[in-house]
Amino acid sequence: MLVSKEFTFDAAHFLTKYHGKCENLHGHTYRLRVTVEGEIGEEGMVVDFLELKKIVKEKVLDKFDHHNLNDFFENPTAELVAKFIWDELKSALNLYEVILWETENSFVTYRGR
């Protein structure tokens, strides 16, 4: 069974290896969906939503929200940020996928491959 929770965070960035508007400092309200996979346990849940929220807040949101992503990445593309998020969460959660929206209509999906 798959269980997902969505989050948002605001962050700035500029792309250092891109030539166009996005090479200038700008910000986004990112939307993040974290999906875990597992079997229903004794409590009737795959994962407690409160525990999922706590882990994502601790490992991702507290780092990125209202920060410049260039402080963490040389070239903070949505692809690289999504992979980083996966790597931060994989030891604490049985991840299925991470989806990161940079804008309302533009997003990346990462499944750890």
Side-chain angles (χ1 to χ4, degrees), residues 23-55:
E23 67 185 316
N24 298 314
L25 181 64
H26 63 285
H28 296 283
T29 297
Y30 289 88
R31 189 169 111 208
L32 171 64
R33 178 183 297 156
V34 175
T35 301
V36 298
E37 183 174 30
E39 299 297 322
I40 298 172
E42 289 181 19
E43 307 87 15
M45 297 179 273
V46 172
V47 64
D48 183 335
F49 284 119
L50 291 175
E51 183 66 16
L52 179 57
K53 179 181 178 181
K54 177 182 173 230
I55 292 168

Side-chain angles (χ1 to χ4, degrees), residues 21-22 56-57 60-61 64 67 75-76 78 80 98 106 109:
K21 286 175 29 177
C22 292
V56 173
K57 181 180 182 310
V60 178
L61 302 180
F64 290 161
H67 284 88
N75 188 42
L80 293 173
V98 166
S106 302
T109 302

Side-chain angles (χ1 to χ4, degrees), residues 97-113:
E97 73 181 8
V98 166
I99 302 176
L100 182 67
W101 282 263
E102 189 172 86
T103 68
E104 182 180 334
N105 301 314
S106 302
F107 60 93
V108 298
T109 302
Y110 187 68
R111 292 188 179 150
R113 296 179 187 103

